């Protein structure tokens, strides 16, 4: 480096690093400290209890169940969203068969792109309101109203989508997927468009089918974007706080019902933190959540590492 | 998608490194947000009267200082917050104490950091879905013992103490370990509600026994109307019906057994068993309004206002909460829970008491003015102001000027409490044990959705009671 450059770089790094330490690292350390106490959240008086909170955590059925729900989301949300987005993106960009043998999307691709992207514009809070109306448990709900009109559901026994232990997680999953597909479609589309046309054309001339050109060309060249999408969707799956707390049945506070069947780690944590006043205990949950997310992100990045293909 | 990254075996390229660390940061992001929610400000503010205490006088026994400021935070829910503004205006006029007013639904979000940092407001109406549980605040030493206010002379009659001007029993829910730390200001009755108009149309009579109640539900069902509606997303409401049946069947002892965490509060209690079986009959025979188990309170109450169900369970805030949705000729009426055969309490007995807890934080900056403010809340003048603005009664005995005309629902609660006389009861476990309350609510929801049977319900509730009883902190709450 040239003379004076170090000072220049340091100057730029100092402020962000300081901010990061104050607003991210320090709260982390504080949280870890609190997790060793019986802090109740409304004052600064507490007792040191060692690892008691962590011991209790591993006997807390509600929290352990919540971890499983997060893992379930973690498996299904990225897989379903990415597969759908890839499929749609491929159809929009290379799915159509041109007259002159060129590569192009299906008819009306531009319009579909806008249409698909639309859900992404909505905030999670609006999404919750919207889907509460869709899943409403009486004849006034969109789904129930439709099914009753079609004679598929008895008007006296409408489906209580969010009040069915076996359905509630899937109902939430559908919302996330509906919300996310459009965004990843656009992301993948952009990446696909940067793949040189001639590669496709060469494949076409060699007689490749749609499937072959997708799996042999598109997917490998998109791998970086898919990996990014996976990480982002993993974050969504580990969180889920907004949707669960504003759509599902109340378990005292922060949703999670019926009977904790939709509780995720963050809702259990917030309930303990503020509603039950077990804040030290909730901090222990927070630390466990941090560890889990770190482990999962490392695993994800390792597992999806591939040789980069250059073009 | 050209790349500048190095991939010739010399480790991670610069761009890769940046990308990877960014990804790691992103993955950790949700955890971070939640974790930092845990972190607190810290530090203790100084409390007390230093500097804010003025001269005391007969009209101003706590010495609220002219020119000082009072920080008022009011839950802006079913009752709005206009009443508080009216009080504050009067307070400013009479004592020269100006108030900063905050009307909000986010009590926890706004106040938890302030309590935690030792910088709370001076007086708080701690209510609504996002209230901070009183037991939690109390255990943190954040609440002022209100004895001083309650033993001060009443504004209307200085010969009497404030506490002697209140409806008996209304202070109980503010009790923590024998001290009154919250003033539940609004007089509330809980039970069933119906439309007088619908009853007249169908020729139904107010049901006094459970059999009559079921008969009306049956008749309604045959005409395509739901019998009982409840606010399924918040099982708190159906617990009103269940717990009231238990208390009326088994008498006050059955109620206290639950509050006192008796090992036979549910399993082994005949009253509890019969009550839950009676409720389950409603479910089994299909007398619930279709879909009610998954509706929010506003959704199901609005359905009820549209004559889609005959009865609904709620407290007396219902009328004010539903003002806009209620047809003008709806004629809202209150009904005590009908009786099971062989009940120990009469039909007229109701769950009555007080709601909407007002608290004074122990570390309030302007304690004298806060105490004086609360003393004046319990005057006839302010109580009438409240009734006018919020359309509800207060815990002050005859606290509403006769010139104020009440709405039909509120009027019917006045009549019901007159008929009940001393036959009122009030559970306290919801105030004492938030976690146990949640467990019982979850069990009730499972029962209403037909996923568990009465036997299992009893078992689950008993388990919740036993678990709470094991908590060493629970031993200090007891009622006789």
């Amino acid at each position: 480096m040239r003379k004076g450059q170090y000072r220049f770089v340091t100057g730029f790094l100092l402020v962000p690093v300081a901010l990061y330490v104050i607003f991210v690292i320090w709260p982390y350390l504080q949280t870890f400290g609190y997790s060793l106490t019986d802090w109740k959240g409304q004052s600064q008086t507490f007792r040191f209890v060692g690892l008691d909170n962590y011991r209790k955590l591993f006997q807390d059925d509600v929290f352990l169940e919540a971890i499983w729900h997060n893992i379930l989301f973690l498996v299904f949300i990225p897989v379903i969203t990415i597969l759908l987005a890839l499929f749609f993106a491929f159809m929009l960009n290379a799915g159509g068969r041109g007259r002159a043998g060129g590569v192009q999307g299906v008819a009306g691709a531009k319009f579909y792109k806008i249409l698909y992207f639309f859900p992404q514009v909505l905030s999670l809070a609006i999404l919750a309101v919207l889907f509460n109306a869709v899943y409403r448990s009486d004849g006034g709900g969109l789904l129930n109203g439709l099914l009753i009109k079609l004679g598929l559901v008895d008007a006296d026994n409408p489906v209580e989508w969010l009040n069915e232990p076996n359905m509630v997680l899937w109902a939430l999953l559908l919302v996330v997927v509906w919300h996310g597909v459009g965004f990843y479609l656009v992301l993948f589309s952009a990446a696909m468009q940067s793949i040189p046309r001639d590669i496709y054309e060469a494949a076409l001339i060699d007689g490749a089918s749609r499937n072959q050109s997708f799996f042999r060309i598109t997917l490998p060249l998109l791998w970086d974007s898919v990996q990014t999408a996976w990480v982002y969707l993993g974050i969504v799956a580990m969180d889920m706080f907004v949707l669960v707390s504003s759509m599902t049945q109340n378990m005292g506070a922060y949703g999670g019902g019926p009977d904790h069947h939709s509780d995720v780690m963050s809702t259990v944590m917030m309930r303990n933190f503020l509603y039950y006043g077990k804040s030290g205990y909730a901090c222990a949950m927070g630390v466990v959540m941090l560890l889990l997310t770190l482990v999962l992100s490392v695993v994800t990045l390792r597992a999806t590492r591939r040789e980069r293909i250059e073009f | 998608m050209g790349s500048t990254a190095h991939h010739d075996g010399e480790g991670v390229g610069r761009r890769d490194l940046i990308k990877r660390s960014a990804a790691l940061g992103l993955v950790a992001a949700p955890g971070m947000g939640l974790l930092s929610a845990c972190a607190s400000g810290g530090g203790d503010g100084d409390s007390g009267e230093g500097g804010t205490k003025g001269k005391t006088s007969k009209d101003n026994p706590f010495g609220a200082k002219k020119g000082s400021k009072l920080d008022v935070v009011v839950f802006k829910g079913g009752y709005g917050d206009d009443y508080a503004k009216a009080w504050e205006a009067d307070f400013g006029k009479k004592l020269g104490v100006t108030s900063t007013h905050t009307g909000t639904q986010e009590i926890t979000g706004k106040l938890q950091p302030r309590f935690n940092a030792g910088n709370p407001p001076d007086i708080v109406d701690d209510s609504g879905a996002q209230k901070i549980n009183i037991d939690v605040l109390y255990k943190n030493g954040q609440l002022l013992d209100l004895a001083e206010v309650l033993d001060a002379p009443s504004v209307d009659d200085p010969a009497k103490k404030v506490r002697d001007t209140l409806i008996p029993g209304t202070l109980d829910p503010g009790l923590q370990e024998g001290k009154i730390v919250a003033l539940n200001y609004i007089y509330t009755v809980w039970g069933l509600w119906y439309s007088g108009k619908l009853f007249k149309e169908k020729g139904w009579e107010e049901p006094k026994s459970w059999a009559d109640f079921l008969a009306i539900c049956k008749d309604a069902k045959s005409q395509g109307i739901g019998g009982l509606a409840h606010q399924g997303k918040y099982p708190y409401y159906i617990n009103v019906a269940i717990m009231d049946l238990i208390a009326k069947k088994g008498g006050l002892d059955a109620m206290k057994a639950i509050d006192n965490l008796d090992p036979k509060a549910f399993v082994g209690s005949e009253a509890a068993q019969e009550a839950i079986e009676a409720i389950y009959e409603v479910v089994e025979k299909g007398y619930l309004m279709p879909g009610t188990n998954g509706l929010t309170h506003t959704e199901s109450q609005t359905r009820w206002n549209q004559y889609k169900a005959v009865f609904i369970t709620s407290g007396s805030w219902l009328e004010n909460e539903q003002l806009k949705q209620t047809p003008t000729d709806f004629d809202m009426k209150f009904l005590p829970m009908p009786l099971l055969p062989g009940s120990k309490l009469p039909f007229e007995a109701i769950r009555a008491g007080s709601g909407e807890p007002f608290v004074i934080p122990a570390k309030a900056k302007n304690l004298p003015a806060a105490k004086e403010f609360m003393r004046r809340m319990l005057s006839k003048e302010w109580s009438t102001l409240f009734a006018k603005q919020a359309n509800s009664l207060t815990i002050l005995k005859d606290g509403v000027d006769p010139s104020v005309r009440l709405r039909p629902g509120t009027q019917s609660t006045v009549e019901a409490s007159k008929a009940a006389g001393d036959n009122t009861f009030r559970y306290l476990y919801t105030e004492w044990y938030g976690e146990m309350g949640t467990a019982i609510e979850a069990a009730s929801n499972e029962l209403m959705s037909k996923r568990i049977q009465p036997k299992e319900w009893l078992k689950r509730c008993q388990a919740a009671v036993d678990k709470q009883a094991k908590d060493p902190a629970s031993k200090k709450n007891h009622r006789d």
Side-chain angles (χ1 to χ4, degrees), chain B residues 384-430:
Chain B
T384 303
L385 269 178
F386 179 83
K388 260 193 225 159
Q389 302 278 2
N391 190 29
S392 245
L393 305 177
T394 73
I395 58 169
L396 193 68
K397 240 186 271 172
D398 305 315
V400 181
D401 199 274
S403 64
V404 177
R405 242 189 90 216
L406 299 167
R407 291 185 166 273
T410 311
Q411 185 57 40
S412 77
T413 60
V414 173
E415 282 153 25
S417 19
K418 263 188 204 147
D422 289 339
N423 275 317
T424 61
F425 56 93
R426 169 75 201 255
Y427 283 92
L428 294 179
Y429 77 89
T430 42

Side-chain angles (χ1 to χ4, degrees), chain A residues 161-189:
Chain A
W161 305 98
L162 298 170
N163 186 30
E164 292 286 343
N166 299 324
M167 249 185 247
V168 61
L169 287 178
W170 301 107
L172 293 169
L173 186 114
L174 183 93
V175 180
V176 179
V177 170
W178 184 84
H179 183 234
V181 164
F183 176 79
Y184 294 101
L185 175 146
V186 172
L187 182 81
F188 295 152
S189 286

Side-chain angles (χ1 to χ4, degrees), chain B residues 181-192:
Chain B
V181 293
L183 179 80
N184 284 255
Y185 184 65
I186 295 170
Y187 185 71
T188 309
V189 301
W190 287 263
L192 288 172

